[in-house]
């Protein structure tokens, strides 16, 4: 592992950037910032390079990897079909936190898509990610740069903590601005299907497409019910994580009381509840704004987890579609804690 700091406006003439691009072309791994989370990148058309991603993450072979490209033109080169819905969404949201799932192009190795017929493709908005993709001149497969099932990294230090022993060049471009992963939408057929909520909200997608976007869980038949890697354990903290209802200090206190005095609990709550809890736990206060909350969430979970609390109690977000992606990540983190307790 090697960590280099790099200017956010670095261009092809930056020595770190050109070295990183060269490393990607040669089949090596490069971790880089995107606006959502840090990605662990490899040459998407080089099977041996893609295998290094799976090995470094300990990622199961059935979980496909998103292909990152510099623009929509490059996206077309990795898909077999570019649909009208893909065109609409790419025009509105790229570069940005949206992954389009489309029929896979013949050039994409089966290992990138875990043997599926479709590929996820995204143009990230972070200037460094775009500069790296342009300099590399190859599509870059990149999952989040963490060990499989861990909380995603939103800083370069998180990447080092997660993947410290792997042979990776890490570009440190500061903290990620969105903070949770991209929205994943299947736009291969007539009816778009939301596979993972994320940086772009479902109502924004519907406004642009002019048709309803089904949630994966609402789609019957043999369409996969969610993005394949989203099933089961994910986004796990080491400590078990439990959710408490929004705005209910009594319920928070009841959950916190389950921890022992020797190993105090930790809590992630909104300000009103923090005032009511007083000294009951090690508390981190979260903003009542979904964008700011997302930007801070993964770092907050890592910070609490590092104190090895008996458990982490998280106050659920308030109702409202703008909190959908956050509710999704938090409920998966809670479910993961259940899984690992078994
Ligand atoms: O924001 C993001 O999407 C970040 C940054 C690095 O771009 N990447 C990321 O990758 O979150 P990862 O591998 O941690 O999550 C990718 C998700 C998984 O749930 C995977 O199952 C889904 O996207 N996905 C990827 N390719 C797919 C495909 N061909 N069909 C269905 N789902 C796919
Ligand atoms: Mg991930």
């Amino acid at each position: 592992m090697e960590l280099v700091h790099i200017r956010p406006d670095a261009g092809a003439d930056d020595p770190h950037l050109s070295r990183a691009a060269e490393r990607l072309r040669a089949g090596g791994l490069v971790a880089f910032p995107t606006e959502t989370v840090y990605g662990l990148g490899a040459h998407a058309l080089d099977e041996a390079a893609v295998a290094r991603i799976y090995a470094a993450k300990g990622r199961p072979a059935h979980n496909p990897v998103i292909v990152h490209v510099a623009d929509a033109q490059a996206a077309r080169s990795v898909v077999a079909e570019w649909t009208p819905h893909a065109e609409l969404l790419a025009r509105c949201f790229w570069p940005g936190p949206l992954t389009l799932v489309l029929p896979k192009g013949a050039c994409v190795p089966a290992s990138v898509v875990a043997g599926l017929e479709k590929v996820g493709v995204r143009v990230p908005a972070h200037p460094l990610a775009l500069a790296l993709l342009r300099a590399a001149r190859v599509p870059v497969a990149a999952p989040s740069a963490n060990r499989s099932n861990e909380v995603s990294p939103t800083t370069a230090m998180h990447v080092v903590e997660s993947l410290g022993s792997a042979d990776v060049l890490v570009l440190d471009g500061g903290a990620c601005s969105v903070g949770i992963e991209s929205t994943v939408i299947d736009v291969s057929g007539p009816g778009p299907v939301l596979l993972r909520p994320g940086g772009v909200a479902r109502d924004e997608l519907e406004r642009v497409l002019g048709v309803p976007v089904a949630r994966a869980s609402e789609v019957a038949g043999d369409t996969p019910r969610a993005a394949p890697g989203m099933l089961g354990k994910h986004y796990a903290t080491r400590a078990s994580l439990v959710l408490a209802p929004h705005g209910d200090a009594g319920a928070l206190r009841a959950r916190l009381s389950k921890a022992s005095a020797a190993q105090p609990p930790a809590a992630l709550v909104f300000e009103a509840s923090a005032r009511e809890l007083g000294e009951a736990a090690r508390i981190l206060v979260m903003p009542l704004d979904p964008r700011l909350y997302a930007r801070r969430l993964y770092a907050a979970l890592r910070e609490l987890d590092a104190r090895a609390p008996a458990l982490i109690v998280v106050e659920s977000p308030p109702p409202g579609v703008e909190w959908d992606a956050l509710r999704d990540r938090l409920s998966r983190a809670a479910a993961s804690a259940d899984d690992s307790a078994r």
Side-chain angles (χ1 to χ4, degrees):
M1 165 114 9
E2 184 188 348
L3 177 70
V4 296
H5 293 269
I6 185 159
R7 295 193 330 265
D9 61 343
D13 55 334
D14 183 285
H16 292 314
L17 197 82
S18 52
R19 182 156 72 91
E22 184 48 48
R23 186 180 165 87
L24 283 172
R25 271 196 302 276
L29 297 179
V30 176
F32 59 97
T34 80
E35 76 281 23
T36 59
V37 300
Y38 272 72
L40 179 64
H43 190 330
L45 310 184
D46 175 343
E47 245 172 304
V50 173
R52 287 185 191 106
I53 294 180
Y54 282 87
K57 280 183 64 89
R59 185 177 178 103
H62 59 75
N63 191 357
V65 179
I66 296 169
V67 174
H68 296 68
V69 288
D71 52 38
Q73 177 80 16
R76 285 163 177 259
S77 73
V78 296
V79 304
E81 195 192 343
W82 184 251
T83 63
H85 284 161
E87 177 67 19
L88 275 172
L89 294 179
R91 275 179 191 274
C92 273
F93 297 109
W94 277 359
L98 181 68
T99 296
L100 302 178
V101 172
L102 287 158
K104 175 183 104 60
C107 63
V108 179
S111 57
V112 171
V113 295
L116 299 170
E117 294 302 311
K118 298 176 194 173
V119 62
V121 61
R122 164 166 122 83
V123 179
H126 196 293
L128 263 180
L130 284 173
L132 178 64
L133 290 167
R134 285 194 199 104
R137 301 191 306 274
V138 294
V140 173
S144 52
N146 51 280
R147 294 277 306 168
S148 198
N149 298 332
E150 278 182 359
V151 175
S152 294
T154 52
T155 68
M157 276 319 291
H158 295 163
V159 178
V160 174
E161 285 162 23
S162 274
L163 299 174
S165 58
D167 185 11
V168 182
L169 173 62
V170 184
L171 302 183
D172 184 350
C176 302
S177 60
V178 174
I180 57 168
E181 301 83 351
S182 63
T183 300
V184 181
I185 185 171
D186 185 331
V187 285
S188 61
V193 181
L194 184 71
L195 300 179
R196 176 176 74 178
V200 177
R202 183 162 78 143
D203 56 331
E204 295 177 73
L205 298 170
E206 290 182 332
R207 210 169 322 137
V208 169
L209 293 173
V211 297
V213 173
R215 284 173 215 252
S217 57
E218 296 160 358
V219 179
D222 54 11
T223 313
R225 305 212 128 219
M230 300 283 296
L231 304 172
K233 253 182 104 169
H234 229 82
Y235 308 105
T237 47
R238 269 165 295 162
S240 24
L241 185 150
V242 295
L243 290 173
H246 182 73
D248 184 344
L252 276 168
R253 240 181 254 112
R255 283 167 179 72
L256 288 167
S257 69
K258 298 213 172 81
S260 73
Q263 203 188 4
L268 198 67
V269 300
F270 295 100
E271 196 173 347
S273 303
R275 277 198 301 271
E276 298 218 20
L277 284 181
E279 302 289 299
R282 290 170 172 167
I283 290 172
L284 281 185
V285 179
M286 295 296 281
L288 197 55
D289 171 309
R291 284 183 196 275
L292 298 178
Y293 190 104
R295 192 176 297 167
R296 207 178 288 175
L297 177 63
Y298 291 153
L301 289 178
R302 281 171 180 265
E303 189 181 329
L304 290 177
D305 209 23
R307 302 173 190 174
L311 86 166
I312 301 175
V313 180
V314 178
E315 178 179 4
S316 299
V321 290
E322 65 280 17
W323 292 91
D324 273 359
L326 291 159
R327 252 191 298 278
D328 171 83
R329 299 304 187 275
L330 289 171
S331 61
R332 280 174 207 286
S336 299
D338 287 353
D339 285 355
S340 39
R342 258 183 241 132

